[in-house]
């Protein structure tokens, strides 16, 4: 399920960027810009959280394998 969520987040980021570049929708409706920016911030926070979790998992596996028991 995580892969689908990441794919959806990537799709949203690409669509948000393309809409910003190619249309004037956000100039006409600034509320949409703020909502999109809020979703981008949520994606950023989720990405940082996932990266920290992966880093802890990798760091935990690396120290367990290196220490002779």
């Amino acid at each position: 399920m995580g892969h689908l969520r990441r794919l959806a987040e990537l799709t949203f980021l690409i669509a948000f960027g393309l809409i910003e570049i190619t249309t004037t929708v956000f100039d006409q409706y600034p509320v949409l810009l703020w909502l999109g920016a809020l979703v981008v911030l949520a994606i950023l926070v989720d990405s940082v959280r996932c990266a920290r979790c992966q880093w802890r998992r990798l760091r935990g596996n690396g120290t367990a394998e290196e220490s002779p028991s």
Side-chain angles (χ1 to χ4, degrees):
M1 192 67 170
H3 295 297
L4 286 175
R5 188 182 77 227
R6 289 187 184 114
L7 184 61
E9 290 173 352
L10 179 63
T11 303
F12 176 83
L13 291 174
I14 291 171
F16 184 74
L18 286 175
I19 290 170
E20 171 63 30
I21 292 169
T22 60
T23 67
T24 60
V25 171
F26 295 135
D27 293 333
Q28 295 171 356
Y29 303 103
V31 173
L32 290 179
L33 177 65
W34 288 105
L35 288 174
L38 187 65
V39 173
V40 168
L41 181 64
I43 290 172
L44 176 68
V45 169
D46 183 54
S47 297
V48 169
R49 184 189 58 80
C50 288
R52 287 182 68 200
C53 182
Q54 282 289 94
W55 178 251
R56 278 192 213 124
R57 190 177 308 144
L58 288 173
R59 200 171 72 184
N61 287 341
T63 56
E65 291 173 1
E66 292 173 4
S67 62
S69 298

